[in-house]
Amino acid sequence: MNTTVTRSLAALALGLFVTSPSQAQDAGKVDFEKQILPILKESCFKCHEKEHEENGKVKKPKGGLRLDGAAAIIKGGKEYPDENVVAGKPDASWLVKTMALPESDDLAMPPEGKGDRITPANIDLIKKWITEGANFGAWKGVE
Ligand code: HEC
């Protein structure tokens, strides 16, 4: 085998098996901070942020789920701890499963009447991000 072929094969093998954070910036991969975070900010943050005061009232994250930090997103909420985002498994990840439920479902997110449905294109994007390993890159968010 000539060296060029050997080198490309080695590069390919690395690309397939190495999943260090730097690989998250690979061209073609979904970028959490640029592409996913804005969706969560827009549609989910008002109910799923760290406990804080608003107009003199303490606001707790609904369902015990915070979506404003990487560690919190992985930790998940009360009903589905550790199953909010399961890397590699979008069908096991409640973050995106709840978005895809029919609006009438009790667990549909955002809840009925509390915001626009997430578009199918954005749901696919989030699923792709989870399939690719749910990598947050350098983003940590609120600890
Ligand atoms: C208006 C408030 C509100 C908004 C906006 C909202 N949620 Fe929720 N969420 C809730 C409430 C309340 C619960 C607790 C379960 C219930 O009562 O339905 C919950 C629970 C959840 C759970 C289950 C957590 C667990 O483990 O128990 C997930 C996952 C979830 N939300 C994801 C989302 C996502 C993703 C978005 C944005 C697309 C979102 N939510 C937007 C109010 C909200």
Side-chain angles (χ1 to χ4, degrees):
M1 220 185 296
N2 72 40
T3 26
T4 323
V5 174
T6 318
R7 276 212 201 106
S8 345
L9 284 177
L12 184 67
L14 277 175
L16 288 175
F17 298 115
V18 177
T19 50
S20 69
S22 64
Q23 300 280 316
Q25 266 78 48
D26 274 358
K29 276 202 171 186
V30 179
D31 181 320
F32 177 84
E33 196 169 354
K34 280 203 196 116
Q35 297 172 272
I36 310 294
L37 185 60
I39 304 170
L40 303 182
K41 266 192 186 154
E42 158 102 22
S43 305
C44 319
F45 267 36
K46 66 174 173 185
C47 297
H48 292 291
E49 276 188 300
K50 187 174 186 168
E51 183 174 316
H52 61 283
E53 265 194 25
E54 225 171 86
N55 307 322
K57 269 197 194 159
V58 177
K59 255 193 105 177
K60 292 193 176 177
K62 303 277 192 246
L65 176 69
R66 281 181 47 206
L67 298 175
D68 56 353
I73 290 176
I74 293 300
K75 185 165 166 250
K78 278 185 204 144
E79 298 289 335
Y80 310 104
D82 304 319
E83 290 176 10
N84 186 47
V85 168
V86 184
K89 296 188 178 161
D91 295 341
S93 302
W94 288 95
L95 175 84
V96 72
K97 279 208 276 185
T98 54
M99 294 175 179
L101 289 168
E103 192 164 19
S104 57
D105 196 292
D106 277 352
L107 242 189
M109 291 292 150
E112 194 168 10
K114 304 285 172 142
D116 293 337
R117 310 301 305 150
I118 309 300
T119 63
N122 279 344
I123 290 179
D124 283 348
L125 191 68
I126 296 170
K127 284 189 176 169
K128 185 166 184 271
W129 170 70
I130 295 174
T131 304
E132 288 171 353
N135 206 310
F136 292 93
W139 186 81
K140 285 199 171 66
V142 181
E143 310 233 341

